[in-house]
Amino acid sequence: MSLPVQRFPSLSHWGAFTAVVQGGRLIACEPFERDPAPSGILASMPGTMQSDLRIARPAVREGWLNRREASDRSARGQERFVEVDWDVALDLVAGELARVRAQHGHAAVFGGSYGWSSAGRLHHARTLTHRFLHSGGGCVNQAGNYSWGAAQFLLPHVIGTYAPVTGRVTDWNNVLHHTELFIAFGGLPLRNAQITSGGAGVHSTQGWVERACRSAIEFVVVSPTQADVPDGMRARWIPIRPNTDTALMLGMAHTLLVQGRHDTAFLHSHCEGFDGFARYLRGDDDGQPKDAAWAAAICGVDAPTIIELALRAASRRTLLNCTWSLQRAHHGEQPYWASIALASMLGQIGLPGGGFAFGHGSINGAATPRPDVPAPEMSAGRNPIGQSIPVARFADMLLAPGQPYDFNGRTSTYPDIELIYWAGGNPFHHHQDLNRLMKGWQKPQTIVVHDSWWTPAARRADIVLPATTTLERNDIGGSSRDRFVLAMKQALAPHAQSRNDFDIYRELAARAGHEAAFTEGRDEAAWIRSIYDDMAGKWRAAGFGLPSFDVFWAEGFVELPEPARDMVLFEAFRQDPVAAPLGTPSGRIELYSQKIASFGYDDCPPHPAWLPPAEWLGAPEAARWPLHLVSSQPPDKLHSQLDAGERSVQGKIKARQRVCMHPDEATRRGIGPHDLVRVFNARGSCLAGAELDVRVMPGVLVMSTGAWFDPQDETLERHGNPNVLTLDVGTSRLAQGTSAMTTLVEVERWQGEAPAVQAFKPPAWVPAPP
């Protein structure tokens, strides 16, 4: 007789679904019935729930267990592990936290936990990690994020807020009705629209793009790869050298200026500092007009095209959109500021269908119509020591304790970290120059990691605590860019001895004497109810009725209605800049920022400017490293999550990540389709599978991130992780964001037998006593 089948509603960052369980095993994930475009990533979930890579019991690195803080830290990732019971593991963690804090202070503890972790708001690893460490005295946190860190710290100086980069921009409905020309700098890649932080009931972006394809909107996609044009979109593709969009925008701005096509009235009434920016465009001070010919020599787009595009934008209702990827580059602040300046000169900011936007094509839910009310959330509490570093400066902090660094107008010093506490996320995916990070990773005395699988971070920890997955606990989820809030019901028993992060931290807090501050007297069920009730109160205050928690939990979801009117970015400011000023010092759009000028940063001047990146195809270094590597987001997983899953594994070539290149570049190097290749530069090398694609412009490689880091040694990574190659420098002293997109490389056909990929093999163990 077959075992009964059970169904449980749940949510992931790649979409809502029903977990189908039989005999205590996940056998399928059925997409949410309201979702018109569910992600195929769901197919990877069943296999990973029962994977041999699941962490079964608490484990301690052998050398650390024997010598504690005096252990050989270079052995992380190589030594065997010893399994211990939970009480021993928790005592070790609690003892280390107490020792480090007593000997070195709270600023010696780093609360890492950077990553998407669970879509659930209670069992969100980053929130819980910081809540636990904050309630115990504090820790060093991270400021900003890898996704749009440069924009986060630039935009408040220019437009008074960074909200537009989170997806709060002129919505798709308004675009469909009013936009005539949509210029997409960085493209509109639908692979990114599978993902929403906090999870989505509906994958809405694909539907909006399909409607746009059927509309009269003229689309222009500016990108190094035509793959960034959605299927079915009759878009004009303008190939551009990576990292040079700023020069193209400045060439367009110069064209508007010299031909008198700029909106002088808008620039006078709504902008500050245009005269200073105009002096730069004309070349009054440096003798170099930023005209179309100048821009063409930099970006590889011919001057007539630049002039024609500028004049076309001036003659139509035009929306300028930048993907997040543009600002993940050296001087990544500049394309965002230049796009705002160009939109200001066009004079359409605040008008239906016009102006600028960020994030269309970067994440599902960007520009989706939604009432402006909160999603479910849980507070991490206040950090008593109030100390943080820019998130992308993680390796700098480990390698240069006590050294000064500049960030957004102030100078600070890197703390001396002796203990890293990490739960959720994978630093060996999202950080740059991983060989450099490996050196920094040897600095702390102790590293504690919570994880569900033997990820690259877990393998390189001293103490590993097995954490449950989303399906092994109850939670509540929802995104601020989606109209659904969903119940996440426990579908599976915890794997082996794994425990949820909340209970792990509760027990650790009890050992340290701050359990009440961490839990506030609530268990899992009470917290989920509290999160819902807090959100419901805010929704009701905004005029949206909600059922009781019990009704919500029984039905599995609640849905916000569509908003009564379109969202137009800066509409009120447009109508009356005095009554509705921006949050800048002038209350207006700052095309020349006196505040940034006061910082004196030579790598971020007080107006949009072309600053050559440290590495680009116009640099002298391109003679040695003639290919620009674009490390894109993967289509078959979320960052490195589910890399061991069915969908991701099937997408690899010879068990390695794919690298796409133009056939001409392959022919010059004797590379054929699906050949194994080595991609390399002075920072390292990795193996990958060659995919020949005429949609990639010559001189460019495109390689998705997310392959689990699998180094043979410092000279070779076996699995295809591009972050062994990427440049680890800040975007500028203003934002200190990631410069991952600023990377020159070479590629060659691999000769001989290739080393086997080891990424999905569990670590070695000390044999259990007889």
Side-chain angles (χ1 to χ4, degrees):
M1 189 169 81
S2 63
L3 295 171
V5 173
Q6 299 173 286
R7 287 176 164 79
F8 303 87
S10 196
L11 180 65
S12 66
H13 294 298
W14 45 92
F17 65 98
T18 296
V20 183
V21 176
Q22 186 175 37
R25 295 174 65 86
L26 180 69
I27 61 171
C29 294
E30 297 175 347
F32 183 44
E33 60 183 12
R34 302 282 292 278
D35 192 347
S39 170
I41 295 173
L42 286 171
S44 287
M45 292 186 67
T48 58
M49 291 299 107
Q50 287 82 225
S51 167
D52 290 342
L53 286 165
R54 288 296 302 271
I55 302 173
R57 286 165 288 279
V60 185
R61 181 170 65 88
E62 183 180 21
W64 191 93
L65 188 62
N66 293 333
R67 302 192 64 197
R68 300 296 199 271
E69 66 269 22
S71 73
D72 177 7
R73 302 166 201 171
S74 67
R76 289 176 179 141
Q78 302 174 38
E79 278 191 338
R80 301 179 299 178
F81 280 90
V82 180
E83 290 188 331
V84 298
D85 65 36
W86 268 104
D87 282 338
V88 170
L90 293 172
D91 286 345
L92 287 173
V93 174
E96 272 303 281
L97 278 167
R99 179 190 68 79
V100 169
R101 283 173 159 158
Q103 293 181 3
H104 305 284
H106 296 295
V109 176
F110 184 73
S113 191
Y114 178 89
W116 286 55
S117 61
S118 171
R121 297 299 91 185
L122 169 59
H123 295 293
H124 183 253
R126 177 177 172 86
T127 300
L128 289 177
T129 300
H130 288 157
R131 184 179 179 87
F132 164 67
L133 294 173
H134 293 174
S135 64
C139 64
V140 176
N141 285 348
Q142 295 155 301
N145 60 58
Y146 286 84
S147 295
W148 32 262
Q152 181 173 351
F153 297 107
L154 168 75
L155 293 179
H157 294 292
V158 179
I159 56 173
T161 176
Y162 65 83
V165 80
T166 70
R168 292 171 175 83
V169 290
T170 299
D171 65 40
W172 274 111
N173 196 54
N174 193 268
V175 169
L176 285 172
H177 287 95
H178 299 283
T179 301
E180 296 174 297
L181 175 63
F182 190 117
I183 304 178
F185 293 97
L188 288 167
L190 282 178
R191 65 179 179 274
N192 296 343
Q194 299 180 93
I195 307 301
T196 303
S197 180
V202 169
H203 286 89
S204 56
T205 301
Q206 180 171 325
W208 288 113
V209 170
E210 289 173 350
R211 290 176 63 184
C213 290
R214 297 191 297 268
S215 74
I217 300 173
E218 178 186 356
F219 282 93
V220 175
V221 171
V222 181
S223 172
T225 171
Q226 197 174 10
D228 285 339
V229 179
D231 291 342
M233 178 175 282
R234 297 181 302 276
R236 176 186 180 189
W237 174 42
I238 298 180
I240 188 172
R241 285 176 173 172
N243 290 190
T244 65
D245 297 78
T246 299
L248 172 60
M249 295 176 195
L250 293 173
M252 293 173 66
H254 182 274
T255 299
L256 297 179
L257 179 66
V258 298
Q259 296 205 20
R261 300 297 299 273
H262 56 303
D263 190 328
T264 55
F266 182 83
L267 291 165
H268 176 75
S269 59
H270 289 75
C271 301
E272 181 74 16
F274 176 69
D275 288 346
F277 178 54
R279 286 184 60 85
Y280 173 73
L281 290 177
R282 291 190 302 263
D284 291 354
D285 298 323
D286 62 7
Q288 175 59 69
K290 312 308 178 293
D291 58 19
W294 167 87
I298 294 169
C299 68
V301 179
D302 63 76
T305 297
I306 295 172
I307 294 169
E308 182 267 336
L309 187 60
L311 298 180
R312 198 166 188 82
S315 65
R316 286 161 174 74
R317 184 59 54 87
T318 300
L319 185 67
L320 308 177
N321 179 69
C322 294
T323 58
W324 291 353
S325 61
L326 292 189
Q327 49 86 65
R328 290 197 289 264
H330 196 212
H331 309 310
E333 298 84 2
Q334 300 309 314
Y336 269 42
W337 202 350
S339 71
I340 294 170
L342 181 57
S344 297
M345 294 178 70
L346 292 171
Q348 299 177 18
I349 295 171
L351 294 178
F356 65 88
F358 307 123
H360 292 72
S362 293
I363 194 170
N364 181 62
T368 294
R370 180 190 186 274
D372 192 15
V373 294
E377 57 188 355
M378 181 185 187
S379 171
R382 184 184 66 86
N383 185 4
I385 68 170
Q387 192 167 348
S388 64
I389 63 158
V391 63
R393 304 276 52 80
F394 179 48
D396 288 0
M397 173 192 71
L398 296 176
L399 291 166
Q403 293 300 305
Y405 67 95
D406 292 320
F407 174 45
N408 203 16
R410 67 179 186 273
T411 300
S412 303
T413 57
Y414 288 120
D416 191 356
I417 299 299
E418 299 295 354
L419 187 149
I420 293 175
Y421 207 125
W422 201 285
N426 174 11
F428 293 94
H429 154 70
H430 59 244
H431 202 74
Q432 281 63 67
D433 194 350
L434 292 182
N435 286 321
R436 183 172 184 264
L437 176 60
M438 285 283 286
K439 294 181 175 66
W441 197 254
Q442 297 174 19
K443 163 63 178 60
Q445 296 175 350
T446 301
I447 298 175
V448 181
V449 168
H450 297 195
D451 217 321
S452 306
W453 293 272
W454 283 106
T455 63
R459 293 167 186 267
R460 290 164 178 79
D462 298 316
I463 305 173
V464 181
L465 302 181
T468 54
T469 65
T470 292
L471 292 175
E472 295 162 351
R473 59 208 183 204
N474 293 300
D475 214 328
I476 178 174
S479 167
S480 61
R481 303 313 314 150
D482 183 72
R483 293 191 294 110
F484 289 86
V485 173
L486 296 107
M488 302 169 64
K489 298 187 180 182
Q490 183 175 342
L492 303 170
H495 175 76
Q497 293 185 17
S498 58
R499 298 181 181 180
N500 68 59
D501 294 309
F502 180 84
D503 285 341
I504 294 171
Y505 286 133
R506 178 184 55 76
E507 292 197 40
L508 288 170
R511 281 168 165 79
H514 55 96
E515 180 180 7
F518 174 71
T519 68
E520 296 184 22
R522 299 186 183 100
D523 61 8
E524 177 187 78
W527 263 112
I528 294 171
R529 183 180 294 269
S530 174
I531 291 169
Y532 179 86
D533 288 343
D534 180 66
M535 180 198 72
K538 295 172 183 175
W539 282 23
R540 292 186 186 111
F544 300 104
L546 275 176
S548 69
F549 173 80
D550 292 328
V551 171
F552 155 72
W553 195 252
E555 294 185 353
F557 69 90
V558 294
E559 178 185 6
L560 275 168
E562 292 189 9
R565 62 192 308 273
D566 295 350
M567 159 66 173
V568 177
L569 181 63
F570 293 158
E571 181 179 39
F573 168 69
R574 170 79 188 213
Q575 292 171 354
D576 192 335
V578 176
L582 302 183
T584 58
S586 66
R588 303 193 290 178
I589 298 169
E590 304 233 344
L591 303 183
Y592 186 103
S593 169
Q594 293 291 349
K595 185 70 175 291
I596 292 178
S598 72
F599 299 160
Y601 296 156
D602 58 1
D603 57 0
C604 189
H607 55 75
W610 163 251
L611 302 171
E615 296 180 13
W616 69 295
L617 291 174
E621 292 81 3
R624 175 69 184 91
W625 312 110
L627 300 171
H628 195 121
L629 176 66
V630 174
S631 47
S632 60
Q633 294 305 306
D636 47 21
K637 50 186 168 282
L638 168 58
H639 299 309
S640 66
Q641 288 187 45
L642 299 178
D643 185 43
E646 170 187 316
R647 192 162 184 258
S648 177
V649 170
Q650 289 178 351
K652 297 179 189 292
I653 295 175
K654 297 181 179 177
R656 332 280 168 159
Q657 190 66 46
R658 293 169 180 258
V659 59
C660 299
M661 68 186 77
H662 193 279
D664 291 350
E665 297 290 1
T667 299
R668 278 193 283 271
R669 295 165 173 81
I671 295 170
H674 290 197
D675 276 352
L676 196 63
V677 299
R678 184 175 78 104
V679 188
F680 61 100
N681 60 19
R683 289 179 287 274
S685 70
C686 66
L687 296 181
E691 180 174 351
L692 278 50
D693 190 344
V694 295
R695 299 175 301 172
V696 178
M697 64 182 289
V700 173
L701 300 182
V702 178
M703 187 176 183
S704 291
T705 60
W708 281 12
F709 181 51
D710 185 32
Q712 176 172 281
D713 50 39
E714 286 189 10
T715 67
L716 183 67
E717 196 277 336
R718 296 171 287 214
H719 195 201
N721 188 317
N723 277 331
V724 299
L725 307 165
T726 50
L727 181 67
D728 187 15
V729 300
T731 53
S732 75
R733 288 185 287 166
L734 178 82
Q736 293 287 7
T738 178
S739 296
M741 294 291 183
T742 302
T743 300
L744 292 179
V745 300
E746 178 59 285
V747 62
E748 65 184 10
R749 189 172 181 272
W750 180 261
Q751 304 293 331
E753 185 176 353
V757 173
Q758 305 290 315
F760 301 144
K761 290 182 63 175
W765 300 95
V766 173

